[in-house]
Amino acid sequence: MHAEVAIMTNQERAEEPVLRHDWTQGEAEALFALPFSELLFQAQTIHRRHFDPNEVQVSSLLSIKTGACSEDCAYCPQSAHYETGVKRESLMSLEDVLEAAQRAREEGATRFCMGAAWRSPRDGDLEAIAAMVEGVKALGMETCVTAGMLSDEQARRLKEAGLDYYNHNLDTSESYYGEIITTRTYQDRLDTLQRVRDAGMHVCCGGIVGMGESAADRAGLLIGLANLPRHPESVPINLLVRVEGTPLADTAALDPFDFVRTVAVARIMMPASRVRLSAGRSDMSDEMQALCFLAGANSIFYGDRLLTTENPQAQRDRRLFARLGLRMAGLGCWVP
Ligand code: SF4
């Protein structure tokens, strides 16, 4: 029983939401336990106070270094610990990255996101990434990087290079963390997030659900995010992609309504953040995605797909947007 969170009164719905950082496990679990329609209504009501409900931001990622990662994240095909058939690729050259960014800009992208599969960048690699950030900034675009754990100095260097956003996910609840990753700690994650904030960059931080965690763990993940000193500007909510060769390949599928609930509770707990549908979206039905938008998701992630009309995923997204009357809020990021 979760009696402490009651169904909202009309007066409560009319009040401006406060950005809270003191959520308790009981409060978060009580939100998850609300009747589905009530939960979605509360989430949509809060969503409309902060965002245009018919506008969805589109983001994507260029993988600038792929595979052979020394971490053992149980969900990840890029980990060197598992045989998944992912083709290893070393760090892309500055020229190739800038060429991709240039093409992205010509296609209308305003932000360029670069991802590298590392536990943490070596200083030499960091300099190469800083040069990429400077080059992309010189094209007049916003920049985003995900490259593992950072030292204070590395975070400062990326900020100095002009980096706008750093992505670093909490992945799951603190109590379930050790079941998923053993090569780093939850505290390591928090430390890097703090360094990114201290350096003055925006934070993109979320997690993955459907990894065999409990509902309490899903609540715990959102508490970890919402109780950060500042809410992440962007909160990717991933649905596990069960990749053959990873330890989670045979995990039971998550009930789709539990995924939608996670999106809705994220919207309520972090009302002003962009909640992004990320990995696993291509396995979701159109109806499930529509429920996620109703629950307050307002950003989508294309993943490793070509963002052109020839791309089946992009075509499907455009059709879905048209059927739902949704508009794309500019191209956040881009893939070549
Ligand atoms: S740190 Fe990133 S790239 Fe490396 S195994 Fe974990 S999720 Fe994959």
Side-chain angles (χ1 to χ4, degrees):
M1 291 292 288
H2 302 288
E4 62 267 45
V5 173
I7 290 174
M8 267 181 162
T9 63
N10 286 337
Q11 185 186 343
E12 283 167 341
R13 287 190 183 107
E15 286 170 0
E16 275 304 301
V18 179
L19 298 189
R20 287 182 51 193
H21 303 269
D22 58 354
W23 290 92
T24 66
Q25 184 73 24
E27 286 176 312
E29 287 187 31
L31 287 171
F32 274 92
L34 282 172
F36 190 73
S37 298
E38 177 61 30
L39 175 61
L40 259 62
F41 183 64
Q42 288 194 18
Q44 176 67 201
T45 303
I46 286 171
H47 185 50
R48 283 167 182 260
R49 291 180 187 148
H50 289 270
F51 294 101
D52 177 340
N54 299 310
E55 199 174 78
V56 175
Q57 179 199 49
V58 177
S59 296
S60 199
L61 175 71
L62 168 67
S63 182
I64 58 172
K65 184 266 171 185
T66 306
C69 179
S70 62
E71 300 284 72
D72 70 350
C73 308
Y75 53 82
C76 183
Q78 299 202 60
S79 167
H81 296 255
Y82 318 125
E83 286 298 327
T84 60
V86 163
K87 191 165 158 268
R88 299 173 174 200
E89 289 169 22
S90 52
L91 188 62
M92 286 174 71
S93 70
L94 176 62
E95 293 67 35
D96 287 349
V97 170
L98 293 186
E99 195 184 308
Q102 177 75 41
R103 278 186 286 136
R105 195 182 65 164
E106 285 162 11
E107 298 225 0
T110 54
R111 188 187 308 161
F112 194 67
C113 304
M114 296 165 271
W118 282 317
R119 171 180 166 80
S120 52
R122 292 173 303 188
D123 286 344
D125 292 326
L126 200 279
E127 275 310 309
I129 299 231
M132 292 172 189
V133 170
E134 283 164 3
V136 174
K137 289 294 282 188
L139 295 173
M141 303 174 84
E142 278 192 319
T143 49
C144 175
V145 163
T146 185
M149 293 181 281
L150 298 178
S151 66
D152 286 324
E153 186 46 42
Q154 289 176 327
R156 275 195 295 272
R157 178 70 187 97
L158 288 175
K159 172 66 180 171
E160 182 187 272
L163 186 63
D164 299 295
Y165 288 80
Y166 195 78
N167 165 268
H168 202 61
N169 290 332
L170 284 184
D171 294 327
T172 188
S173 69
E174 184 171 9
S175 56
Y176 198 59
Y177 203 78
E179 302 291 322
I180 300 299
I181 299 137
T182 67
T183 48
R184 62 169 184 267
T185 65
Y186 190 80
Q187 188 60 46
D188 289 333
R189 272 339 233 190
L190 295 176
D191 291 346
T192 290
L193 288 168
Q194 190 56 49
R195 290 181 183 120
V196 170
R197 280 294 187 210
D198 289 346
M201 289 181 281
H202 296 311
V203 166
C204 172
C205 181
I208 307 170
V209 297
M211 299 194 293
E213 77 285 341
S214 65
D217 289 316
R218 289 190 281 282
L221 164 66
L222 297 183
I223 287 173
L225 295 167
N227 288 358
L228 288 168
R230 270 176 66 190
H231 293 170
E233 281 76 13
S234 168
V235 180
I237 303 290
N238 300 277
L239 178 62
L240 175 70
V241 178
R242 292 169 290 174
V243 179
E244 207 54 52
T246 64
L248 297 183
D250 298 322
T251 308
L254 185 73
D255 181 340
F257 292 124
D258 286 337
F259 184 85
V260 178
R261 284 180 182 280
T262 308
V263 170
V265 177
R267 167 53 64 223
I268 291 170
M269 291 172 66
M270 293 167 280
S273 301
R274 286 261 171 204
V275 176
R276 175 173 303 149
L277 303 181
S278 302
R281 197 170 60 82
S282 55
D283 293 335
M284 296 177 196
S285 69
D286 287 353
E287 293 82 359
M288 180 175 167
Q289 293 187 58
L291 278 178
C292 290
F293 295 135
L294 192 62
N298 61 348
S299 176
I300 61 169
F301 203 80
Y302 272 104
D304 284 336
R305 299 296 186 122
L306 184 66
L307 198 53
T308 70
T309 47
E310 288 76 43
N311 178 357
Q313 179 68 55
Q315 281 181 333
R316 180 186 162 195
D317 289 335
R318 290 195 175 102
R319 271 199 306 272
L320 180 60
F321 275 41
R323 287 164 69 204
L324 298 178
L326 294 174
R327 294 185 305 276
M328 286 195 186
L331 240 42
C333 312
W334 187 84
V335 284

